Amino acid sequence: MSPIPRRHVLKAAVLAGAATPFSWVLGGAGTATAAVRSADGPVDITWLEEGGLGAAPGSTFGVPWPKGQYGKDQTFALATADGKQLPVQTWTTATWPDGSLKWTAHAAAEGLAGDKSYRLTPGGTAAAPAKEVTVSEKGGRITVRTGVIEAVIAHNGHRLIDSLTRGGTEIASNGRLVLLRQGEFDDDDQGNARWERFDGEITGATVEQRGPVRAVIRIDGKHRKGSRRWLPFSVRLYFYAGADSFRMVHTVTFDGEQTPGRSSGDFIRGLGVRFSVPMRDEAYDRHIRIGGDDAGMLREAVKGITGLRRDPGAAVQAAQFAGEKLPDPATWDQRVTTRLPLIPTWGDYTLSQLSADGFTLRKRTTGGHGWIPAGGGRRASGFGYVGGASGGLSFGLRDFWQKHPAQLDIRGAHTDRADVTLWLWSPEAQPMDLRFYHDGMGQDTYAKQLEGLEITYEDYEPEFGTPYGIARTSELVFWANGSTPSAEVLAQQAEVVRTLPQLVAPPAQSIAAKVFGGLFSEPDRSTPAKAKIEDHLDFLFTYYRDQVEMRRWYGFWDYGDFMHSYDPARHQWRYDVGGYAWDNSELSPDIWLWYAYLRSGRADIFRFAEALTRHTGEVDVYHLGQWAGLGTRHGVQHFADSAKQQRIANTTYRRFYYFLTADERVGDLMHANVDSDETFMVLDPQRKVRTDPYTPDRNALSIGFGTDWSGLVSAWLTEWERGGPEAEKAKARVLSTMETIAAQPNGFVQGSGLYDLDTGKFAVADKPVVSVSHLSAVFGLNELCAELIDSVDMPKFKEAYLDYCRYFNATKAEQAARYGSNFGTLLLFQGHSRLDAYAAVQTGDPKLTARAWQKFYNSDGYKESAPWTTEKVTGPVTLVPGSEANWVYTNDTSLYGLAAIENLALLGDKMPS
């Protein structure tokens, strides 16, 4: 979805009539107790990490605003700390229901270099860029000009980018996608597998933004060979005013066939992006640069004149190493000049990163000749350059070693045109094997399938462990250089590939704006009790960050996620035990991590949460096929478990990254969920545990008010506030479901209702039912309800939700007195203490305040008596040396993290002594 145009921004609704059950809240009492500055006036904007813009093309960032503060026509200006006005492009990404701004996005590029902080000021007029980015369309081509480079983009055919020029000089051309398919998998090293090449074929290109600071082009298509088209792709190209580079966001969705037990199918052997680079200079003025470990870099010429038996002169050698054009060979030592034809030209280079712990670099003179090793190391930057004194292309693949196997190829640098390929999946690795990992052990009935939950915690059903429809997004950056860059510039470019610079607003702005429910406050160590909780929060994040490294939770399909449960006996996470393996957003670690970032502004937490969002939104969710819109419960493979549920595709988990960065790909994912209520016709999430006969009925679908509705309403709310194409439908569903949940005899305690897909309403039950699950509120329900209650004044809905909060952690006698029966056996009381805290603030009930802290400290979950330390482990106890905290489990971590953050924000000044 493209950024929402101003004409689509929601207008304030006019509501009339005393019978109307709701109205818009223009103010609203705050919930956080921590003191924060007002969000009025200028906002200080800083870089997430030190280092600034570097060689990046620009940065786009989001800023939240309090309800009712600014109207949709508000303008913004950006300036450096010393008051110099900078160009900035602004658009609305969300509005509050009254039509006021909730989130704005801002793109900047020119003038950012060299400064560490800036000021975004409401009002005034943004400075015009000295070199605007412009977009024109003519003759089936889209031309983007940044003022420094020009890119010609195709509407159809096999070339994404026809040409990339700088100052009229062609730097690269024929930018295209490459796919290598292998039809058989050599399971026993006895096959003779053959490859075939597919090329990306464009089905459409759309201009999503036209400048003046930022332009975005979206290109869609499939990979094709002959009559077969498969593996859909979506590519976005980002250009900034005055930049000599552009960024690419590349998504593929798997739609091939891989059948368990069969060696034939659609196995991806290589997946890449390729450009051709003209080589105009003499061979000794052509340069190769390939990034290695840290800031390391191979710096060579296609025809090297250093290290020879005869010396052309120190100045000449130094110039070649620096990448400068060499003086006329007639001025060299003639013993070298006359023998130049005898010096080999090295036209081909390959760096392959087949694991997180090692890369190899090799080169050869040309095809058909032998390779020689050129070095190696642990973790390459994913950066390279090929070109010469008259210009060349720098290129980089982000998360290169983290999402192994990856590879960089340069071919034909000794000829008139070199080819550069950035392999997202290295053709030197084993083919991509996505076959389901086991045979199901003959579990051919629901009863047998459910037995898997009793032993491996995995829900198995034949043909459900399929990768069909999962996706993966990668990010690349390209520079069109007028000459071979200096070592300093190359280092800056490589660093951009490793860590893309990101501008951010401070935590105080998000807290004052009360976005995402307003349930977080800045870290506070003013008392020993608060400091101890802050220490625990830091411990848990640090532990998971370190476990990613120790356990090597890396790889193309895995990077970003972490494990669910630990096996103390093996000193190992249960990576191979059914539903205990990959976490797949179970119990909302995504919200915990984003709250942790929003309150602290810590870069390491942001990057950790960013990788999680990229992963869970793509890999754990189906984007094609019969289960599009559903995600997969935690398992050994991200798609393994047969529980395909909306709660994993939950838009709540994507909202943070989208609003902080305005990332269009994440916007696509959120928009795709608007109609995910239709998935309940396709698959009943309760089909294996229902005791009564049930057939899905379009006008009477059984949908739970917890895990199901919380995921649906987050998609509707997001589409509504973004002003998307289905905003009016989404708005109606938000309000109608809130109203009809509130109208149930027991409100949220009713548990579920019969939902009408056509009207977007729940039927109001004719008798009260008590049906409460410990899972209902742990997939974002509390955070979504807090946001809804703060936005929409619907007293009965608020009352129904506060009742649920009040009674979940109540005694069985209190539950029975209120509802006629108790809630049965429940779990996760520590995590639900945040519901007590929310209700305590909303109602002013001191008993709820006391109970919130009592349940936080003294129920299930992590106790103060927990070790809160790690133990060193090494061989032969564990595969690699490191540390463990064998009492840490991700369910408990997620719930402790959320309860701690929300309780501190809501009741931090009412903690027990």
Side-chain angles (χ1 to χ4, degrees):
M1 173 184 288
S2 63
I4 309 303
R6 288 178 182 265
R7 64 180 180 274
H8 287 159
V9 175
L10 291 173
K11 296 179 174 64
V14 178
L15 301 170
T20 303
F22 51 84
S23 61
W24 305 131
V25 177
L26 300 183
T31 54
T33 57
V36 297
R37 69 168 178 80
S38 169
D40 294 338
V43 178
D44 293 329
I45 304 297
T46 58
W47 293 105
L48 181 63
E49 288 99 354
E50 294 183 1
L53 181 67
S59 182
T60 299
F61 59 98
V63 179
W65 305 100
K67 192 166 45 263
Q69 184 171 350
Y70 296 118
K72 63 178 182 178
D73 296 323
Q74 180 66 50
T75 60
F76 295 89
L78 185 70
T80 60
D82 60 5
K84 179 184 177 182
Q85 293 296 306
L86 302 178
V88 64
Q89 181 175 320
T90 296
W91 63 100
T92 301
T93 49
T95 59
W96 294 95
D98 69 336
S100 63
L101 295 179
K102 187 174 186 179
W103 283 91
T104 52
H106 309 270
E110 181 184 310
L112 293 179
D115 285 286
K116 296 182 179 180
S117 63
Y118 313 88
R119 178 155 291 185
L120 183 73
T121 303
T125 303
K131 298 176 180 178
E132 290 189 1
V133 60
T134 62
V135 180
S136 60
E137 297 180 76
K138 184 178 180 180
R141 295 290 184 268
I142 301 171
T143 302
V144 182
R145 299 178 177 89
T146 70
V148 176
I149 63 173
E150 175 182 294
V152 179
I153 299 160
H155 270 292
N156 48 50
H158 295 289
R159 298 182 178 184
L160 271 67
I161 297 181
D162 275 350
S163 65
L164 178 67
T165 59
R166 176 171 179 158
T169 299
E170 183 185 273
I171 301 298
S173 65
N174 196 15
R176 67 265 194 206
L177 304 183
V178 182
L179 166 66
L180 303 179
R181 175 190 174 271
Q182 183 170 310
E184 292 187 8
F185 199 102
D186 296 338
D187 286 305
D188 300 313
D189 296 328
Q190 296 178 354
N192 187 24
R194 301 181 64 182
W195 308 357
E196 57 179 339
R197 173 177 157 177
F198 288 69
D199 295 305
E201 182 180 58
I202 299 169
T203 57
T206 306
V207 179
E208 294 186 328
Q209 249 184 355
R210 294 180 175 272
V213 175
R214 180 187 194 248
V216 183
I217 315 298
R218 174 175 173 167
I219 307 169
D220 293 285
K222 292 185 177 182
H223 295 79
R224 177 182 178 180
K225 179 184 179 183
S227 60
R228 185 177 183 193
R229 297 173 176 85
W230 73 297
L231 204 67
F233 63 82
S234 178
V235 170
R236 279 189 172 87
L237 305 175
Y238 293 84
F239 300 87
Y240 286 83
D244 62 356
S245 59
F246 67 93
R247 175 170 163 254
M248 176 186 291
V249 176
H250 170 287
T251 301
V252 289
T253 304
F254 185 80
D255 65 343
E257 180 183 348
Q258 290 199 12
T259 304
R262 293 180 56 188
S263 60
S264 61
D266 294 312
F267 299 99
I268 293 174
R269 187 61 191 246
L271 181 67
V273 179
R274 179 171 293 167
F275 278 86
S276 295
V277 181
M279 304 298 287
R280 291 175 290 267
D281 301 282
E282 295 290 344
Y284 51 75
D285 277 332
R286 300 180 186 182
H287 305 118
I288 305 295
R289 304 290 186 259
I290 299 177
D293 277 316
D294 297 324
M297 192 168 297
L298 178 85
R299 296 169 60 189
E300 294 189 352
V302 171
K303 185 186 286 285
I305 58 165
T306 65
L308 301 172
R309 184 178 184 186
R310 304 304 177 189
D311 185 355
V316 176
Q317 292 190 66
Q320 187 179 65
F321 186 63
E324 300 168 356
K325 182 175 176 58
L326 300 187
D328 188 330
T331 66
W332 306 357
D333 186 316
Q334 291 303 294
R335 291 176 298 174
V336 176
T337 302
T338 57
R339 295 179 175 89
L340 274 175
L342 301 177
I343 301 173
T345 53
W346 300 96
D348 296 351
Y349 287 76
T350 287
L351 184 148
S352 56
Q353 179 93 47
L354 303 185
S355 77
D357 292 303
F359 70 85
T360 58
L361 178 60
R362 64 186 191 274
K363 67 180 184 180
R364 67 183 179 185
T365 53
T366 188
H369 293 259
W371 293 92
I372 67 168
R378 290 191 67 224
R379 293 171 170 174
S381 63
F383 172 79
Y385 166 84
V386 62
S390 64
L393 183 72
S394 296
F395 48 89
L397 173 60
R398 190 179 177 197
D399 296 328
F400 185 76
W401 60 266
Q402 293 93 329
K403 292 167 68 174
H404 65 80
Q407 184 169 314
L408 300 179
D409 282 352
I410 297 172
R411 296 288 184 270
H414 62 299
T415 69
D416 291 341
R417 193 165 291 270
D419 278 339
V420 169
T421 308
L422 297 90
W423 293 103
L424 317 181
W425 186 278
S426 166
E428 296 184 2
Q430 283 290 305
M432 188 185 292
D433 190 358
L434 297 175
R435 292 172 293 181
F436 186 62
Y437 78 101
H438 77 83
D439 61 9
M441 300 172 286
Q443 297 173 346
D444 55 356
T445 67
Y446 277 0
K448 290 182 180 179
Q449 292 159 20
L450 287 172
E451 282 297 302
L453 290 171
E454 296 299 322
I455 185 65
T456 62
Y457 200 32
E458 180 173 69
D459 184 23
Y460 175 77
E461 192 169 341
E463 300 181 3
F464 272 60
T466 175
Y468 188 96
I470 66 172
R472 196 54 158 140
T473 290
S474 303
E475 298 177 65
L476 307 92
V477 189
F478 300 90
W479 287 264
N481 304 285
S483 60
T484 298
S486 67
E488 180 183 14
V489 171
L490 288 165
Q492 290 178 345
Q493 292 176 345
E495 183 57 30
V496 166
V497 173
R498 286 188 182 274
T499 307
L500 193 68
Q502 178 65 54
L503 287 169
V504 294
Q509 184 69 17
S510 296
I511 294 168
K514 302 186 187 115
V515 289
F516 304 125
L519 301 176
F520 49 90
S521 58
E522 293 189 70
D524 180 0
R525 298 178 179 274
S526 60
T527 69
K530 290 180 179 179
K532 184 171 288 188
I533 293 177
E534 297 290 355
D535 289 344
H536 296 343
L537 288 170
D538 286 349
F539 170 85
L540 290 170
F541 169 73
T542 301
Y543 182 63
Y544 276 82
R545 184 194 63 195
D546 293 348
Q547 286 293 292
V548 168
E549 171 65 7
M550 177 187 173
R551 309 295 178 174
R552 299 305 192 268
W553 291 335
Y554 300 117
F556 183 82
W557 290 109
D558 294 334
Y559 177 60
D561 206 354
F562 35 80
M563 291 283 164
H564 183 279
S565 297
Y566 200 71
D567 182 356
R570 284 191 291 171
H571 303 276
Q572 172 68 279
W573 292 83
R574 304 185 210 181
Y575 72 97
D576 57 350
V577 184
Y580 289 114
W582 291 114
D583 191 66
N584 284 30
S585 294
E586 185 71 359
L587 305 198
S588 303
D590 314 61
I591 306 178
W592 157 53
L593 288 164
W594 280 118
Y595 271 14
Y597 164 71
L598 286 165
R599 68 195 298 263
S600 68
R602 284 175 51 176
D604 54 351
I605 299 178
F606 180 99
R607 297 303 183 186
F608 198 84
E610 176 186 36
L612 179 63
T613 299
R614 282 287 190 214
H615 171 90
T616 59
E618 305 281 7
V619 182
D620 299 344
V621 177
Y622 290 103
H623 310 274
L624 292 175
Q626 60 181 327
W627 297 318
L630 298 176
T632 302
R633 175 184 177 270
H634 41 105
V636 169
Q637 291 166 296
H638 298 286
F639 50 83
D641 198 280
S642 71
K644 311 300 184 186
Q645 298 179 330
Q646 210 283 329
R647 77 190 201 195
I648 305 301
N650 200 329
T651 299
T652 303
Y653 305 147
R654 326 293 173 229
R655 286 163 52 83
F656 302 94
Y657 188 65
Y658 172 76
F659 288 124
L660 289 168
T661 66
D663 182 86
E664 281 83 0
R665 173 56 188 169
V666 174
D668 293 342
L669 301 178
M670 300 191 304
H671 174 68
N673 281 343
V674 172
D675 295 321
S676 58
D677 51 357
E678 296 280 351
T679 63
F680 288 85
M681 283 292 295
V682 177
L683 193 68
D684 173 22
Q686 300 296 320
R687 65 195 183 283
K688 295 186 180 181
V689 296
R690 291 192 189 278
T691 56
D692 298 328
Y694 173 74
T695 301
D697 180 342
R698 181 173 185 83
N699 303 117
L701 283 171
S702 179
I703 293 182
F705 298 155
T707 58
D708 297 337
W709 179 75
S710 62
L712 294 173
V713 78
S714 68
W716 297 330
L717 173 63
T718 305
E719 182 77 357
W720 175 16
E721 62 189 4
R722 290 180 71 199
E726 298 185 73
E728 290 304 314
K729 172 186 174 180
K731 167 186 170 182
R733 272 161 165 63
V734 170
L735 300 176
S736 62
T737 53
M738 289 174 67
E739 184 179 354
T740 49
I741 289 174
Q744 301 297 328
N746 279 341
F748 276 91
V749 174
Q750 196 81 12
S752 64
L754 296 178
Y755 176 76
D756 190 325
L757 277 169
D758 295 324
T759 66
K761 296 181 179 181
F762 288 104
V764 178
D766 56 5
K767 62 180 180 180
V769 172
V770 172
S771 179
V772 175
S773 168
H774 60 280
L775 295 178
S776 293
V778 295
F779 285 86
L781 182 68
N782 191 54
E783 294 72 28
L784 259 294
C785 283
E787 195 156 6
L788 289 168
I789 288 170
D790 192 41
S791 299
V792 180
D793 184 16
M794 192 182 292
K796 288 187 177 180
F797 177 85
K798 179 178 180 179
E799 178 184 351
Y801 184 63
L802 292 180
D803 255 15
Y804 186 85
C805 295
R806 181 186 293 275
Y807 286 98
F808 184 95
N809 273 341
T811 65
K812 291 183 181 297
E814 290 171 327
Q815 293 166 353
R818 169 64 178 84
Y819 291 102
S821 63
N822 64 55
F823 293 176
T825 301
L826 296 175
L827 304 169
L828 312 181
F829 301 112
Q830 183 178 70
H832 281 81
S833 69
R834 70 190 197 268
L835 276 66
D836 290 320
Y838 179 71
V841 170
Q842 292 294 321
T843 64
D845 187 342
K847 292 182 180 179
L848 290 175
T849 297
R851 193 173 73 194
W853 287 116
Q854 190 275 330
K855 292 293 184 181
F856 178 78
Y857 280 118
N858 300 313
S859 59
D860 56 1
Y862 295 147
K863 304 287 196 303
E864 284 299 303
S865 59
W868 295 108
T869 59
T870 60
E871 298 291 334
K872 289 184 178 180
V873 287
T874 187
V877 169
T878 186
L879 180 65
V880 295
S883 63
E884 70 173 1
N886 62 17
W887 50 276
V888 169
Y889 291 80
T890 305
N891 276 359
D892 291 340
T893 296
S894 300
L895 293 182
Y896 180 91
L898 284 169
I901 290 170
E902 294 180 28
N903 291 358
L904 285 172
L906 297 166
L907 302 174
D909 58 345
K910 296 180 175 62
M911 296 180 70
S913 59

